[in-house]
Amino acid sequence: MDLMNRACRSIVTLAALVVATSFAGTARADDLKDARAAFAAGDFDRAVAAYEKAAAQGYAEGRAGIGMVHLRRRQYDKAQEQFELAQRMDGNLAMAWFGQGEVLRRQGDCANAVAKLQRAVELDRKYPEAQLALGDCLVKSGKHADAVRVLEQGTNWGPKVRPRFLIALGDAELARDSLRDAGIFYTKAQQEAPDDPATNRALGEFYVKRGIGALAVQNLERAVQLDSSDVELRFALGQAFYFAQRYNEALEQYRIVAERDPEFAPGQYALGHLYYLSGQADPRRYADARPYLEKYTQMMPQDAKGWSALGRDLYFLKERDAAAAALIKAEGLGDKSKEMYRILARTYVDKREWPAALAAYGKADLETTDLFRIAQVHAILGDIAKADSVYAQMVEKDPMSGEARAALVEWGKLKYRQKDH
């Protein structure tokens, strides 16, 4: 009897363990299911919470899922940390390898991304995101034939993902300036999936590159109608409006982008830069531009164009020292634009740094008011012949303009002082 009782207790215990294990597995599966659904819906906070539950149970995909959320939020350091943890938990998890490669790809490091992306596609032979990322990195590495081979595989994976690979093949052709072939791929993708925002976006951006503004706007507006929550789509539409010289509509799209995703750096720059350009017609816009350009330089401190735009904006806000510092920073980071040098030269004139002003003007495109400043600087430095030459150039260019009349007055004063009248 005792033996029978012990046997019964063992069976009950085993059954309880099986039920508990099954429940834990179901709970874990439910957490991952909820996390994936929340991620797909863009509810990233809920996705993280569900992925965390799965990760706490030792499930590597939960940890990698958290990395995917950070990746979508462009928090690359945090994403990399989560993907590395996931890999340590399960070295054969394709998502962990893809995530690490994707972080590197988005940061422009395809040289190191390729090996990780190749490992991801080896572990999962039908992983569209990894296959697309690998193809893109091969394109950027100049390995066109290898990229096409990788991307063509995905065109056979069914109608759901095929258009994405057609877009990628279009990108590959565009990278080698084969506009005709690129256009064929983009058009085919849009024809096969006319209600996919990605295909409409790709075709719209292609038309921007071709200089066909009306068709670019048409396709990108359609893309935004299909997915109004995607800030990158709205940004692309704003770019198309800007290219088509529909500046008010571009401004509206950039405002929406900056409001919905303050961490999307291109949106901050685009809005600030457009406000800056509007300042010529309405000087109040210079103040509107400043916070967006400042934020962009904080987010992208190594991007010369951000410092250049901020410096030019600060100049018109009459903050000369801050403007000069920002423009010098831009020059150090590689900005050689003539407009940047023109405004930098003006800051030097205002600060009475005459040789530096002339050096900057030597690299700038000049407006009439700059010719006036240059002539004055030459006069101050005692180079009367050059001052005479610049004043004469201004008068000859447009003798009836206000600048020419001012130049005549200063030229007359200069000649009087030299007793040459």
Side-chain angles (χ1 to χ4, degrees):
M1 181 65 75
D2 289 342
L3 182 60
M4 185 176 292
N5 288 337
R6 285 197 298 272
C8 288
R9 285 196 296 271
S10 296
I11 291 170
V12 170
T13 301
L14 179 60
L17 285 171
V18 169
V19 170
T21 302
S22 176
F23 178 79
T26 302
R28 183 174 68 184
D30 287 344
D31 288 334
L32 286 172
K33 183 179 179 181
D34 290 344
R36 292 171 190 144
F39 183 82
D43 189 349
F44 297 140
D45 291 337
R46 186 163 64 89
V48 167
Y51 278 132
E52 283 282 10
K53 288 181 181 179
Q57 298 172 56
Y59 200 47
E61 187 180 338
R63 189 60 58 196
I66 299 170
M68 294 300 293
V69 173
H70 288 310
L71 189 64
R72 283 289 294 272
R73 288 172 165 168
R74 305 176 198 86
Q75 298 169 336
Y76 298 130
D77 290 343
K78 292 181 179 179
Q80 181 72 12
E81 180 183 0
Q82 295 299 317
F83 290 132
E84 289 176 355
L85 287 171
Q87 184 195 327
R88 288 199 287 270
M89 293 169 70
D90 182 355
N92 291 320
L93 181 64
M95 186 190 293
W97 288 98
F98 161 68
Q100 294 177 73
E102 182 67 358
V103 167
L104 292 169
R105 184 184 76 88
R106 293 194 184 192
Q107 294 178 313
D109 188 4
C110 274
N112 289 308
V114 166
K116 296 182 184 298
L117 295 170
Q118 286 176 328
R119 180 58 177 155
V121 300
E122 289 169 2
L123 291 167
D124 186 343
R125 294 293 182 179
K126 285 191 176 181
Y127 192 165
E129 290 79 8
Q131 197 88 2
L132 287 163
L134 176 58
D136 179 64
C137 264
L138 291 171
V139 168
K140 290 174 178 173
S141 301
K143 299 178 180 179
H144 182 266
D146 291 339
V148 169
R149 176 181 53 79
V150 166
L151 295 170
E152 283 182 339
Q153 293 176 32
T155 63
N156 300 315
W157 290 353
K160 186 175 181 179
V161 298
R162 174 178 161 83
R164 296 169 63 188
F165 284 93
L166 291 174
I167 292 170
L169 286 165
D171 294 341
E173 295 304 325
L174 195 62
R176 62 174 187 169
D177 296 325
S178 182
L179 296 179
R180 178 182 175 277
D181 290 342
I184 290 172
F185 280 118
Y186 293 137
T187 301
K188 184 182 290 188
Q190 199 274 342
Q191 289 172 344
E192 292 187 14
D195 294 329
D196 185 339
T199 62
N200 286 279
R201 174 183 178 177
L203 189 56
E205 292 183 331
F206 173 69
Y207 284 133
V208 169
K209 293 182 176 69
R210 291 294 305 272
I212 309 174
L215 289 177
V217 169
Q218 176 183 315
N219 282 274
L220 288 164
E221 282 187 316
R222 174 62 176 156
V224 169
Q225 289 170 1
L226 292 165
D227 185 0
S228 61
S229 65
D230 189 330
V231 295
E232 293 190 18
L233 269 181
R234 285 195 175 275
F235 176 74
L237 177 57
Q239 296 288 78
F241 278 135
Y242 180 84
F243 178 80
Q245 299 182 350
R246 293 165 61 174
Y247 300 123
N248 289 334
E249 290 159 294
L251 189 67
E252 180 60 24
Q253 294 302 320
Y254 292 151
R255 281 174 177 159
I256 294 172
V257 169
E259 179 181 336
R260 290 188 179 178
D261 190 350
E263 300 308 311
F264 182 54
Q268 296 291 318
Y269 175 81
L271 182 55
H273 187 244
L274 188 49
Y275 272 136
Y276 164 74
L277 294 177
S278 302
Q280 187 171 2
D282 181 358
R284 293 173 299 179
R285 293 301 196 187
Y286 292 125
D288 292 333
R290 180 176 185 169
Y292 298 104
L293 295 175
E294 285 181 333
K295 182 162 186 177
Y296 182 78
T297 59
Q298 293 163 8
M299 298 172 72
M300 304 292 289
Q302 299 304 309
D303 190 344
K305 74 174 182 290
W307 291 103
S308 180
L310 176 60
R312 286 176 277 134
D313 189 62
L314 290 171
Y315 174 80
F316 288 106
L317 288 172
K318 304 188 185 306
E319 296 192 22
R320 305 293 196 258
D321 290 339
L327 293 170
I328 291 169
K329 176 83 170 177
E331 183 184 26
L333 290 169
D335 183 20
K336 306 299 181 186
S337 66
K338 293 183 180 296
E339 183 185 2
M340 184 278 291
Y341 279 118
R342 183 176 73 242
I343 303 302
L344 179 59
R346 290 180 186 179
T347 67
Y348 284 138
V349 170
D350 293 343
K351 295 166 66 176
R352 299 177 182 273
E353 297 180 21
W354 313 126
L358 292 177
Y361 270 135
K363 304 172 185 177
D365 59 343
L366 305 178
E367 296 179 351
T368 304
T369 183
D370 296 297
L371 290 172
F372 192 81
R373 287 183 172 92
I374 290 171
Q376 289 183 313
V377 170
H378 283 312
I380 290 169
L381 293 175
D383 195 337
I384 306 304
K386 287 185 177 179
D388 276 346
S389 175
V390 175
Y391 282 135
Q393 181 182 344
M394 290 180 66
V395 173
E396 182 179 350
K397 182 178 181 181
D398 187 359
M400 301 305 295
S401 68
E403 290 86 355
R405 290 197 293 272
L408 279 171
V409 171
E410 293 301 316
W411 197 8
K413 292 178 181 177
L414 182 63
K415 288 185 173 292
Y416 181 82
R417 286 195 295 269
Q418 293 299 310
K419 306 299 184 183
D420 185 19
H421 56 281

PDB file of all heavy atoms in Angstrom, residues 73-94:
ATOM      1  N   ARG A  73      13.723  53.538 -32.061  1.00  0.00           N
ATOM      2  CA  ARG A  73      13.821  54.863 -31.446  1.00  0.00           C
ATOM      3  C   ARG A  73      15.165  55.527 -31.710  1.00  0.00           C
ATOM      4  O   ARG A  73      15.443  56.606 -31.200  1.00  0.00           O
ATOM      5  CB  ARG A  73      13.608  54.740 -29.930  1.00  0.00           C
ATOM      6  CG  ARG A  73      12.156  54.448 -29.544  1.00  0.00           C
ATOM      7  CD  ARG A  73      12.008  54.152 -28.068  1.00  0.00           C
ATOM      8  NE  ARG A  73      10.611  54.217 -27.636  1.00  0.00           N
ATOM      9  CZ  ARG A  73      10.164  53.779 -26.461  1.00  0.00           C
ATOM     10  NH1 ARG A  73      11.015  53.230 -25.600  1.00  0.00           N
ATOM     11  NH2 ARG A  73       8.891  53.885 -26.153  1.00  0.00           N
ATOM     12  N   ARG A  74      16.010  54.857 -32.517  1.00  0.00           N
ATOM     13  CA  ARG A  74      17.343  55.347 -32.881  1.00  0.00           C
ATOM     14  C   ARG A  74      18.246  55.499 -31.662  1.00  0.00           C
ATOM     15  O   ARG A  74      19.140  56.359 -31.646  1.00  0.00           O
ATOM     16  CB  ARG A  74      17.235  56.673 -33.654  1.00  0.00           C
ATOM     17  CG  ARG A  74      16.345  56.570 -34.876  1.00  0.00           C
ATOM     18  CD  ARG A  74      16.174  57.907 -35.570  1.00  0.00           C
ATOM     19  NE  ARG A  74      15.010  57.862 -36.446  1.00  0.00           N
ATOM     20  CZ  ARG A  74      13.773  58.112 -36.045  1.00  0.00           C
ATOM     21  NH1 ARG A  74      13.547  58.477 -34.793  1.00  0.00           N
ATOM     22  NH2 ARG A  74      12.762  58.023 -36.873  1.00  0.00           N
ATOM     23  N   GLN A  75      18.029  54.695 -30.657  1.00  0.00           N
ATOM     24  CA  GLN A  75      18.873  54.673 -29.455  1.00  0.00           C
ATOM     25  C   GLN A  75      19.870  53.529 -29.640  1.00  0.00           C
ATOM     26  O   GLN A  75      19.739  52.442 -29.074  1.00  0.00           O
ATOM     27  CB  GLN A  75      17.999  54.489 -28.210  1.00  0.00           C
ATOM     28  CG  GLN A  75      17.009  55.628 -27.999  1.00  0.00           C
ATOM     29  CD  GLN A  75      15.974  55.337 -26.933  1.00  0.00           C
ATOM     30  OE1 GLN A  75      15.677  54.188 -26.624  1.00  0.00           O
ATOM     31  NE2 GLN A  75      15.405  56.383 -26.363  1.00  0.00           N
ATOM     32  N   TYR A  76      20.887  53.791 -30.448  1.00  0.00           N
ATOM     33  CA  TYR A  76      21.727  52.718 -30.945  1.00  0.00           C
ATOM     34  C   TYR A  76      22.594  52.063 -29.873  1.00  0.00           C
ATOM     35  O   TYR A  76      22.811  50.838 -29.908  1.00  0.00           O
ATOM     36  CB  TYR A  76      22.578  53.226 -32.103  1.00  0.00           C
ATOM     37  CG  TYR A  76      21.746  53.684 -33.278  1.00  0.00           C
ATOM     38  CD1 TYR A  76      21.950  54.923 -33.885  1.00  0.00           C
ATOM     39  CD2 TYR A  76      20.727  52.878 -33.785  1.00  0.00           C
ATOM     40  CE1 TYR A  76      21.174  55.328 -34.957  1.00  0.00           C
ATOM     41  CE2 TYR A  76      19.941  53.281 -34.854  1.00  0.00           C
ATOM     42  CZ  TYR A  76      20.173  54.508 -35.426  1.00  0.00           C
ATOM     43  OH  TYR A  76      19.386  54.917 -36.484  1.00  0.00           O
ATOM     44  N   ASP A  77      23.109  52.824 -28.940  1.00  0.00           N
ATOM     45  CA  ASP A  77      23.921  52.227 -27.880  1.00  0.00           C
ATOM     46  C   ASP A  77      23.091  51.269 -27.027  1.00  0.00           C
ATOM     47  O   ASP A  77      23.536  50.164 -26.696  1.00  0.00           O
ATOM     48  CB  ASP A  77      24.535  53.318 -26.999  1.00  0.00           C
ATOM     49  CG  ASP A  77      25.607  54.114 -27.729  1.00  0.00           C
ATOM     50  OD1 ASP A  77      26.099  53.629 -28.763  1.00  0.00           O
ATOM     51  OD2 ASP A  77      25.946  55.217 -27.264  1.00  0.00           O
ATOM     52  N   LYS A  78      21.889  51.693 -26.679  1.00  0.00           N
ATOM     53  CA  LYS A  78      21.007  50.839 -25.885  1.00  0.00           C
ATOM     54  C   LYS A  78      20.606  49.594 -26.671  1.00  0.00           C
ATOM     55  O   LYS A  78      20.523  48.494 -26.122  1.00  0.00           O
ATOM     56  CB  LYS A  78      19.771  51.615 -25.454  1.00  0.00           C
ATOM     57  CG  LYS A  78      20.043  52.721 -24.441  1.00  0.00           C
ATOM     58  CD  LYS A  78      18.757  53.431 -24.051  1.00  0.00           C
ATOM     59  CE  LYS A  78      19.018  54.524 -23.022  1.00  0.00           C
ATOM     60  NZ  LYS A  78      17.762  55.236 -22.655  1.00  0.00           N
ATOM     61  N   ALA A  79      20.333  49.773 -27.952  1.00  0.00           N
ATOM     62  CA  ALA A  79      19.954  48.637 -28.796  1.00  0.00           C
ATOM     63  C   ALA A  79      21.090  47.619 -28.860  1.00  0.00           C
ATOM     64  O   ALA A  79      20.877  46.411 -28.699  1.00  0.00           O
ATOM     65  CB  ALA A  79      19.594  49.124 -30.193  1.00  0.00           C
ATOM     66  N   GLN A  80      22.305  48.111 -29.080  1.00  0.00           N
ATOM     67  CA  GLN A  80      23.462  47.219 -29.182  1.00  0.00           C
ATOM     68  C   GLN A  80      23.642  46.409 -27.906  1.00  0.00           C
ATOM     69  O   GLN A  80      23.909  45.203 -27.950  1.00  0.00           O
ATOM     70  CB  GLN A  80      24.722  48.050 -29.464  1.00  0.00           C
ATOM     71  CG  GLN A  80      25.994  47.244 -29.627  1.00  0.00           C
ATOM     72  CD  GLN A  80      26.036  46.469 -30.929  1.00  0.00           C
ATOM     73  OE1 GLN A  80      25.209  46.697 -31.808  1.00  0.00           O
ATOM     74  NE2 GLN A  80      26.965  45.544 -31.057  1.00  0.00           N
ATOM     75  N   GLU A  81      23.467  47.044 -26.775  1.00  0.00           N
ATOM     76  CA  GLU A  81      23.610  46.351 -25.495  1.00  0.00           C
ATOM     77  C   GLU A  81      22.607  45.202 -25.380  1.00  0.00           C
ATOM     78  O   GLU A  81      22.951  44.094 -24.959  1.00  0.00           O
ATOM     79  CB  GLU A  81      23.403  47.340 -24.349  1.00  0.00           C
ATOM     80  CG  GLU A  81      23.520  46.734 -22.973  1.00  0.00           C
ATOM     81  CD  GLU A  81      23.228  47.725 -21.862  1.00  0.00           C
ATOM     82  OE1 GLU A  81      22.932  48.902 -22.170  1.00  0.00           O
ATOM     83  OE2 GLU A  81      23.285  47.331 -20.683  1.00  0.00           O
ATOM     84  N   GLN A  82      21.356  45.452 -25.763  1.00  0.00           N
ATOM     85  CA  GLN A  82      20.330  44.420 -25.670  1.00  0.00           C
ATOM     86  C   GLN A  82      20.589  43.270 -26.643  1.00  0.00           C
ATOM     87  O   GLN A  82      20.410  42.098 -26.300  1.00  0.00           O
ATOM     88  CB  GLN A  82      18.953  45.029 -25.930  1.00  0.00           C
ATOM     89  CG  GLN A  82      18.505  46.044 -24.891  1.00  0.00           C
ATOM     90  CD  GLN A  82      18.386  45.443 -23.497  1.00  0.00           C
ATOM     91  OE1 GLN A  82      17.869  44.344 -23.324  1.00  0.00           O
ATOM     92  NE2 GLN A  82      18.871  46.168 -22.509  1.00  0.00           N
ATOM     93  N   PHE A  83      21.028  43.584 -27.848  1.00  0.00           N
ATOM     94  CA  PHE A  83      21.304  42.531 -28.825  1.00  0.00           C
ATOM     95  C   PHE A  83      22.481  41.659 -28.379  1.00  0.00           C
ATOM     96  O   PHE A  83      22.468  40.441 -28.582  1.00  0.00           O
ATOM     97  CB  PHE A  83      21.587  43.145 -30.197  1.00  0.00           C
ATOM     98  CG  PHE A  83      20.380  43.765 -30.851  1.00  0.00           C
ATOM     99  CD1 PHE A  83      20.436  45.039 -31.400  1.00  0.00           C
ATOM    100  CD2 PHE A  83      19.181  43.071 -30.914  1.00  0.00           C
ATOM    101  CE1 PHE A  83      19.327  45.600 -32.002  1.00  0.00           C
ATOM    102  CE2 PHE A  83      18.048  43.639 -31.524  1.00  0.00           C
ATOM    103  CZ  PHE A  83      18.137  44.904 -32.067  1.00  0.00           C
ATOM    104  N   GLU A  84      23.489  42.277 -27.789  1.00  0.00           N
ATOM    105  CA  GLU A  84      24.625  41.495 -27.290  1.00  0.00           C
ATOM    106  C   GLU A  84      24.205  40.577 -26.145  1.00  0.00           C
ATOM    107  O   GLU A  84      24.646  39.426 -26.060  1.00  0.00           O
ATOM    108  CB  GLU A  84      25.742  42.437 -26.848  1.00  0.00           C
ATOM    109  CG  GLU A  84      26.444  43.134 -28.019  1.00  0.00           C
ATOM    110  CD  GLU A  84      27.475  44.144 -27.561  1.00  0.00           C
ATOM    111  OE1 GLU A  84      27.580  44.377 -26.335  1.00  0.00           O
ATOM    112  OE2 GLU A  84      28.173  44.707 -28.429  1.00  0.00           O
ATOM    113  N   LEU A  85      23.339  41.077 -25.268  1.00  0.00           N
ATOM    114  CA  LEU A  85      22.822  40.233 -24.181  1.00  0.00           C
ATOM    115  C   LEU A  85      22.026  39.064 -24.754  1.00  0.00           C
ATOM    116  O   LEU A  85      22.139  37.923 -24.280  1.00  0.00           O
ATOM    117  CB  LEU A  85      21.939  41.061 -23.243  1.00  0.00           C
ATOM    118  CG  LEU A  85      22.654  42.052 -22.319  1.00  0.00           C
ATOM    119  CD1 LEU A  85      21.637  42.947 -21.617  1.00  0.00           C
ATOM    120  CD2 LEU A  85      23.506  41.305 -21.299  1.00  0.00           C
ATOM    121  N   ALA A  86      21.215  39.341 -25.770  1.00  0.00           N
ATOM    122  CA  ALA A  86      20.417  38.281 -26.393  1.00  0.00           C
ATOM    123  C   ALA A  86      21.314  37.231 -27.020  1.00  0.00           C
ATOM    124  O   ALA A  86      21.042  36.023 -26.928  1.00  0.00           O
ATOM    125  CB  ALA A  86      19.483  38.886 -27.444  1.00  0.00           C
ATOM    126  N   GLN A  87      22.391  37.666 -27.649  1.00  0.00           N
ATOM    127  CA  GLN A  87      23.307  36.711 -28.270  1.00  0.00           C
ATOM    128  C   GLN A  87      23.963  35.815 -27.228  1.00  0.00           C
ATOM    129  O   GLN A  87      24.156  34.620 -27.448  1.00  0.00           O
ATOM    130  CB  GLN A  87      24.376  37.448 -29.077  1.00  0.00           C
ATOM    131  CG  GLN A  87      25.314  36.517 -29.833  1.00  0.00           C
ATOM    132  CD  GLN A  87      26.557  37.208 -30.336  1.00  0.00           C
ATOM    133  OE1 GLN A  87      26.513  38.386 -30.681  1.00  0.00           O
ATOM    134  NE2 GLN A  87      27.664  36.501 -30.350  1.00  0.00           N
ATOM    135  N   ARG A  88      24.308  36.397 -26.071  1.00  0.00           N
ATOM    136  CA  ARG A  88      24.914  35.588 -25.007  1.00  0.00           C
ATOM    137  C   ARG A  88      23.909  34.567 -24.452  1.00  0.00           C
ATOM    138  O   ARG A  88      24.288  33.477 -24.043  1.00  0.00           O
ATOM    139  CB  ARG A  88      25.448  36.489 -23.888  1.00  0.00           C
ATOM    140  CG  ARG A  88      26.710  37.248 -24.292  1.00  0.00           C
ATOM    141  CD  ARG A  88      27.461  37.756 -23.078  1.00  0.00           C
ATOM    142  NE  ARG A  88      26.795  38.877 -22.453  1.00  0.00           N
ATOM    143  CZ  ARG A  88      27.014  40.146 -22.775  1.00  0.00           C
ATOM    144  NH1 ARG A  88      27.862  40.440 -23.755  1.00  0.00           N
ATOM    145  NH2 ARG A  88      26.380  41.113 -22.155  1.00  0.00           N
ATOM    146  N   MET A  89      22.644  34.940 -24.467  1.00  0.00           N
ATOM    147  CA  MET A  89      21.617  34.016 -23.994  1.00  0.00           C
ATOM    148  C   MET A  89      21.361  32.896 -25.002  1.00  0.00           C
ATOM    149  O   MET A  89      21.085  31.759 -24.627  1.00  0.00           O
ATOM    150  CB  MET A  89      20.313  34.785 -23.734  1.00  0.00           C
ATOM    151  CG  MET A  89      20.397  35.773 -22.584  1.00  0.00           C
ATOM    152  SD  MET A  89      18.954  36.885 -22.513  1.00  0.00           S
ATOM    153  CE  MET A  89      17.667  35.750 -21.990  1.00  0.00           C
ATOM    154  N   ASP A  90      21.452  33.223 -26.290  1.00  0.00           N
ATOM    155  CA  ASP A  90      21.214  32.239 -27.345  1.00  0.00           C
ATOM    156  C   ASP A  90      22.027  32.636 -28.563  1.00  0.00           C
ATOM    157  O   ASP A  90      21.646  33.524 -29.329  1.00  0.00           O
ATOM    158  CB  ASP A  90      19.718  32.185 -27.693  1.00  0.00           C
ATOM    159  CG  ASP A  90      19.405  31.131 -28.755  1.00  0.00           C
ATOM    160  OD1 ASP A  90      20.351  30.524 -29.281  1.00  0.00           O
ATOM    161  OD2 ASP A  90      18.212  30.930 -29.056  1.00  0.00           O
ATOM    162  N   GLY A  91      23.162  31.973 -28.724  1.00  0.00           N
ATOM    163  CA  GLY A  91      24.070  32.302 -29.823  1.00  0.00           C
ATOM    164  C   GLY A  91      23.534  31.976 -31.192  1.00  0.00           C
ATOM    165  O   GLY A  91      24.123  32.387 -32.201  1.00  0.00           O
ATOM    166  N   ASN A  92      22.428  31.255 -31.253  1.00  0.00           N
ATOM    167  CA  ASN A  92      21.835  30.900 -32.546  1.00  0.00           C
ATOM    168  C   ASN A  92      20.558  31.682 -32.847  1.00  0.00           C
ATOM    169  O   ASN A  92      19.776  31.283 -33.713  1.00  0.00           O
ATOM    170  CB  ASN A  92      21.534  29.396 -32.581  1.00  0.00           C
ATOM    171  CG  ASN A  92      22.801  28.568 -32.620  1.00  0.00           C
ATOM    172  OD1 ASN A  92      23.761  28.927 -33.302  1.00  0.00           O
ATOM    173  ND2 ASN A  92      22.825  27.473 -31.876  1.00  0.00           N
ATOM    174  N   LEU A  93      20.355  32.766 -32.128  1.00  0.00           N
ATOM    175  CA  LEU A  93      19.173  33.598 -32.368  1.00  0.00           C
ATOM    176  C   LEU A  93      19.489  34.585 -33.491  1.00  0.00           C
ATOM    177  O   LEU A  93      20.287  35.518 -33.324  1.00  0.00           O
ATOM    178  CB  LEU A  93      18.774  34.349 -31.097  1.00  0.00           C
ATOM    179  CG  LEU A  93      17.536  35.251 -31.212  1.00  0.00           C
ATOM    180  CD1 LEU A  93      16.286  34.419 -31.504  1.00  0.00           C
ATOM    181  CD2 LEU A  93      17.353  36.079 -29.955  1.00  0.00           C
ATOM    182  N   ALA A  94      18.847  34.397 -34.626  1.00  0.00           N
ATOM    183  CA  ALA A  94      19.134  35.243 -35.787  1.00  0.00           C
ATOM    184  C   ALA A  94      18.851  36.710 -35.505  1.00  0.00           C
ATOM    185  O   ALA A  94      19.577  37.597 -35.972  1.00  0.00           O
ATOM    186  CB  ALA A  94      18.315  34.766 -36.986  1.00  0.00           C
TER     187      ALA A  94
END
